[in-house]
Amino acid sequence: VPVTMSNTVNLVNANGLIVVRPGGLVKAAHFHVWDLYQNHLGSSPLQASVTAPSRTVSLRLGAEIVRSTGECRTRPAVVSMLDVSATLSEDRRTYKVAVINRSATDDIAADLSLDGRPVSGTATLRQIGAGVDDLYAWNSMDEPDRVTLSEASEVEIDGEFVFPAHSISLVEWPVG
């Protein structure tokens, strides 16, 4: 089921998208994630699958608390290091694939294909976090653009793309 609405807890300060200080304001790093998914991803979801390195994690099962430990119930789950969302633009002329590389340290190469055919040619790329060496980097009044959504650039794809560690990449290419 497509996600049709999401909310952030605080819009300003605390964990907000915008941080206001006496000297001005700054867009928090996660502001750019909201911007990417709201304003740059397509409106029609497409089925996507991913084969990538994975790891086993404890997956929380709702808000049920275990009385003896005071912690939420969990179960082991295998989670892919790449999280993929594929869409088609509103005018149905552009494929868009957003990929989160969850690895803190490793770039991950992945084959991009559509209906079993490798994607090749010129694509448009926007990224958040690529090239930022500090996993815990944040935007401040002194460095308001340390973590931001990059401007669109053109890249050549020949079936494979390398997704940088701890980043989000949006790759777009024309239909047909």
Side-chain angles (χ1 to χ4, degrees):
V1 176
V3 175
T4 57
M5 184 180 92
S6 62
N7 295 303
T8 183
V9 176
N10 300 308
L11 294 177
V12 178
N13 294 339
N15 295 319
L17 298 176
I18 298 173
V19 179
V20 179
R21 298 289 184 255
L25 62 90
V26 65
K27 295 173 185 170
H30 60 283
F31 170 93
H32 300 288
V33 176
W34 284 77
D35 178 31
L36 179 123
Y37 281 91
Q38 182 175 357
N39 298 316
H40 300 284
L41 200 58
S43 58
S44 299
L46 299 173
Q47 184 173 353
S49 63
V50 62
T51 302
S54 59
R55 65 183 176 146
T56 302
V57 299
S58 292
L59 184 65
R60 193 173 93 181
L61 299 174
E64 183 182 346
I65 304 294
V66 177
R67 287 183 174 218
S68 61
T69 64
E71 297 176 357
C72 290
R73 288 197 187 283
T74 63
R75 70 169 170 80
V78 176
V79 176
S80 174
M81 296 306 287
L82 295 181
D83 181 82
V84 178
S85 297
T87 63
L88 187 60
S89 63
E90 194 167 336
D91 65 8
R92 308 189 68 76
R93 298 194 317 200
T94 308
Y95 292 113
K96 300 180 178 218
V97 176
V99 179
I100 299 171
N101 181 345
R102 293 182 173 119
S103 174
T105 57
D106 298 328
D107 296 349
I108 298 176
D111 293 332
L112 290 179
S113 63
L114 183 64
D115 295 328
R117 295 184 315 272
V119 173
S120 62
T122 303
T124 302
L125 174 67
R126 290 180 173 86
Q127 293 181 309
I128 300 171
V132 177
D133 57 355
D134 182 358
L135 182 62
Y136 301 102
W138 56 287
N139 294 338
S140 66
M141 296 301 286
D142 293 331
E143 293 182 277
D145 296 319
R146 186 165 183 203
V147 181
T148 186
L149 178 60
S150 70
E151 293 293 323
S153 63
E154 287 190 351
V155 293
E156 291 299 318
I157 296 180
D158 191 15
E160 184 180 85
F161 188 81
V162 177
F163 296 96
H166 63 86
S167 69
I168 303 174
S169 300
L170 177 65
V171 183
E172 307 175 30
W173 67 94
V175 170

